[in-house]
Amino acid sequence: MRPADQQLALSIVIPLYNEAENLDALADRVFGTIKRFELDAEILFVDDGSTDGSEKIFRRLCDIHPRLRVIRLRRNFGQTAAMAAGFDHARGAVIVVLDGDLQNDPDDIPLLLNRLDEGYDVVSGWRRDRMDHWSRVLPSRFANWLIGRATGVRLHDYGCSLKAYRAEVIQNIPLYGDLHRFIPALASMYGAKITELPVRHHERARGTSKYTLARTFRVIMDLIIVSFLKSYAQRPMHAFGWAGVIMLLVGFGIDAYLAFQKLAFGAQLANRPLLLLGAVLMLAGLQIASLGILAELQIRTYHESQNKPIYNVREILGGGERTLG
């Protein structure tokens, strides 16, 4: 058996949450791909706190497949945290991620690897013929356009989980919140070379989708964060500073005008709402320029400088090891 610290060519990371109905077919398909294409690969199932009895299936699959490891998290931390756990435990020089609902096709993995060999650092799948209901497809297309415009990284399908990354790129990108869908944009901040490739997409045969409309609001909020980090992470004053300075100058101009009226013409200012507006604008400008920067720096320090993980592992199964968290 390969030593735990020896690097493989490929790690396939699959985040899972309540996909018990799909696990056997998923393992058969992924290991079938590995065998057909003779890939030097390991499989990492990341169980994001499933409550559907998946644990028994995981243990059985680990007994059958020596190349399978299962990272079981203590509770449902979310897809971003599950991906981060997979990246942290992966031993491959290349890491491929795909969904566990059988809608991604593992046979597309060699195609992604071939594009990486052309000199790319990230290859993103594009579900050109997407087999989902229009109520999911249309909002997704708008979101992809909006993300591309905001980040400058134009991709047709940010939401496709099937992506290939060079390990030295993805393992240096801090992930938290729901930032997994923005990984290509985050990678571009580190100078990664990014491309996309059309991949197959199948209808969901079993299980239920974890997609909810509430994700749309979270995507918009995360997009604001990613756009800020991409443009102003090293110079936050260029973002908050301009807004604060403009409000400060407008407020100062208003109060200077009123002061001139008072001194030159003896105008009464006690009943002038404009005086209060000017004072509020100046105070708000100072607060935006200071509190906004401090808040952003604090959240980045919390997640990065302290190296605090966004998940907690219960145990690791398979791969010749069993580790309790």
Side-chain angles (χ1 to χ4, degrees):
M1 182 174 291
R2 182 190 302 269
D5 59 350
Q6 184 176 344
Q7 190 172 50
L8 295 91
L10 173 65
S11 293
I12 301 175
V13 174
I14 307 176
L16 297 161
Y17 178 64
N18 290 343
E19 294 287 359
E21 299 176 50
N22 292 319
L23 291 179
D24 286 299
L26 176 65
D28 289 342
R29 290 190 188 182
V30 177
F31 281 104
T33 296
I34 290 177
K35 183 177 181 180
R36 280 194 303 278
F37 294 94
E38 299 180 346
L39 301 176
D40 180 27
E42 65 172 353
I43 312 299
L44 282 82
F45 284 175
V46 184
D47 176 25
D48 189 23
S50 295
T51 57
D52 61 348
S54 298
E55 178 184 352
K56 294 180 180 179
I57 304 176
F58 288 137
R59 295 184 184 278
R60 174 170 54 79
L61 290 175
C62 285
D63 291 336
I64 298 172
H65 302 288
R67 293 191 182 190
L68 173 64
R69 285 191 293 156
V70 179
I71 315 299
R72 296 189 60 232
L73 306 187
R74 291 189 178 276
R75 64 170 177 84
N76 180 236
F77 289 91
Q79 190 171 1
T80 298
M83 284 188 181
F87 297 153
D88 290 344
H89 289 83
R91 298 196 291 253
V94 171
I95 300 175
V96 170
V97 180
L98 72 154
D99 279 333
D101 56 11
L102 300 178
Q103 290 191 269
N104 295 142
D105 196 323
D107 283 350
D108 285 326
I109 292 176
L111 302 178
L112 300 178
L113 300 180
N114 291 337
R115 291 304 299 270
L116 280 182
D117 289 340
E118 296 175 10
Y120 293 100
D121 300 302
V122 177
V123 181
S124 179
W126 170 19
R127 299 166 293 182
R128 186 160 52 186
D129 299 317
R130 186 171 174 179
M131 299 299 174
D132 283 325
H133 192 267
W134 65 267
S135 61
R136 292 185 60 184
V137 174
L138 290 182
S140 177
R141 288 180 178 175
F142 173 75
N144 291 322
W145 174 83
L146 183 62
I147 294 170
R149 291 281 296 181
T151 64
V153 181
R154 306 297 180 89
L155 296 176
H156 289 90
D157 194 358
Y158 268 89
C160 180
S161 294
L162 183 56
K163 293 181 173 67
Y165 311 96
R166 296 193 185 277
E168 67 267 20
V169 172
I170 191 60
Q171 290 178 335
N172 286 309
I173 296 176
L175 293 178
Y176 45 88
D178 284 320
L179 294 183
H180 64 276
R181 71 187 75 252
F182 299 104
I183 289 178
L186 295 171
S188 72
M189 297 167 55
Y190 292 85
K193 191 175 181 182
I194 302 165
T195 189
E196 64 181 344
L197 181 73
V199 296
R200 283 164 286 193
H201 191 243
H202 304 290
E203 293 184 4
R204 176 184 271 272
R206 292 177 294 273
T208 57
S209 173
K210 311 306 185 294
Y211 177 85
T212 63
L213 290 178
R215 285 190 179 185
T216 304
F217 177 78
R218 296 200 297 267
V219 168
I220 295 174
M221 295 298 100
D222 287 332
L223 177 58
I224 294 173
I225 294 295
V226 171
S227 300
F228 173 80
L229 293 178
K230 182 175 176 62
S231 301
Y232 302 107
Q234 303 301 322
R235 49 186 193 281
M237 276 300 294
H238 286 206
F240 292 103
W242 275 113
V245 167
I246 290 174
M247 295 181 71
L248 183 62
L249 290 178
V250 171
F252 179 81
I254 291 174
D255 284 354
Y257 166 73
L258 294 176
F260 172 76
Q261 284 195 326
K262 175 67 175 178
L263 296 175
F265 306 107
Q268 296 297 321
L269 303 181
N271 59 346
R272 299 285 295 274
L274 202 58
L275 177 65
L276 181 59
L277 175 62
V280 169
L281 285 174
M282 286 193 291
L283 290 174
L286 290 173
Q287 289 181 329
I288 289 176
S290 56
L291 294 180
I293 295 173
L294 291 176
E296 186 62 32
L297 292 178
Q298 283 180 331
I299 195 64
R300 290 178 63 83
T301 299
Y302 176 79
H303 286 290
E304 297 175 24
S305 300
Q306 295 183 9
N307 199 27
K308 186 178 180 64
I310 58 173
Y311 59 87
N312 190 278
V313 174
R314 179 182 300 277
E315 62 180 333
I316 300 174
L317 306 172
E321 58 181 284
R322 184 176 187 272
T323 304
L324 293 178

